[in-house]
Amino acid sequence: MENARVLVACSGGGDSTALLAFLWSVRKSLDLDLLVAHADHKLRETSGEDAAYVRNLCRKLDLDLMEADLDVAGHAKATGHGLETAARDLRWAWLKAEAEAAGAAVVATGHTLDDHTETVWLRLSRGGGSGALTPLPARQAHRWSPLIQVRREELRAYLRALGLPWREDETNISDF
């Protein structure tokens, strides 16, 4: 991806913070015009702190930030979907609209090799056959995941080497 406007989805978590730091570091050599998007799902008491962290990071990097408050709980109730599905649906609809309005070629996401592994296990647990092993592509429609071959722990090591903190979503440590 060169000579492109890229909307970077950043939650403030380790994966997306590492993605933003990486893309910011290569932006000039790849001639990338970066914009950042942060969606607050309003599902955790600490979500406002995540938004403030991303806001501050964008100020430090001198990047424009687009923000949205998403009514995930309301959408889940209205559609009968679980919170994860409702969050993904609302977030992607918003990200696609923002990318289109900003003239961004892609939405960069912090998906990692660990996300692929989790997806395969989830597919297999739902009865998926050999198709469940299909890897998550680095590029799919508007989504671009340049870190898809990197392990989550490698990203944390990268952030520690940069001295760059990240936010932890406490729900990620709860039981599935």
Side-chain angles (χ1 to χ4, degrees):
M1 179 80 38
E2 289 188 48
N3 305 312
R5 176 167 270 190
V6 176
L7 182 63
V8 183
C10 186
S11 67
D15 299 347
S16 64
T17 298
L19 170 69
L20 181 55
F22 169 71
L23 290 177
W24 189 84
S25 73
V26 300
R27 75 195 184 290
K28 289 181 181 174
S29 62
L30 296 180
D31 194 24
L32 298 178
D33 179 18
L34 302 179
L35 306 163
V36 181
H38 175 80
D40 187 339
H41 299 96
K42 299 292 187 185
L43 295 174
R44 299 177 293 110
E45 287 185 29
T46 59
S47 68
E49 295 170 28
D50 299 345
Y53 171 79
V54 173
R55 231 176 270 125
N56 186 45
L57 182 57
C58 287
R59 246 189 317 275
K60 287 180 181 177
L61 299 176
D62 194 28
L63 294 173
D64 290 335
L65 172 65
M66 291 158 234
E67 295 184 81
D69 290 340
L70 304 177
D71 181 14
V72 172
H75 184 65
K77 186 176 180 179
T79 61
H81 293 136
L83 288 175
E84 294 258 347
T85 299
R88 185 178 51 249
D89 290 349
L90 283 177
R91 185 173 57 248
W92 270 107
W94 175 69
L95 287 168
K96 285 179 191 176
E98 289 294 332
E100 187 175 301
V106 293
V107 176
T109 66
H111 289 107
T112 67
L113 191 57
D114 297 277
D115 292 311
H116 168 68
T117 303
E118 292 168 7
T119 299
V120 166
W121 282 114
L122 185 61
R123 289 174 181 165
L124 289 172
S125 73
R126 292 180 176 163
S130 61
L133 302 176
T134 304
L136 294 173
R139 180 82 191 266
Q140 185 177 29
H142 287 91
R143 184 185 53 77
W144 176 44
S145 303
L147 305 177
I148 197 67
Q149 295 299 317
V150 181
R151 292 241 173 239
R152 188 167 287 137
E153 187 47 46
E154 292 173 294
L155 296 180
R156 301 311 188 269
Y158 172 65
L159 290 172
R160 285 190 290 274
L162 294 175
L164 189 59
W166 64 90
R167 301 280 305 160
E168 285 292 346
D169 177 345
E170 63 275 8
T171 63
N172 286 339
I173 60 173
S174 64
D175 290 339
F176 185 74

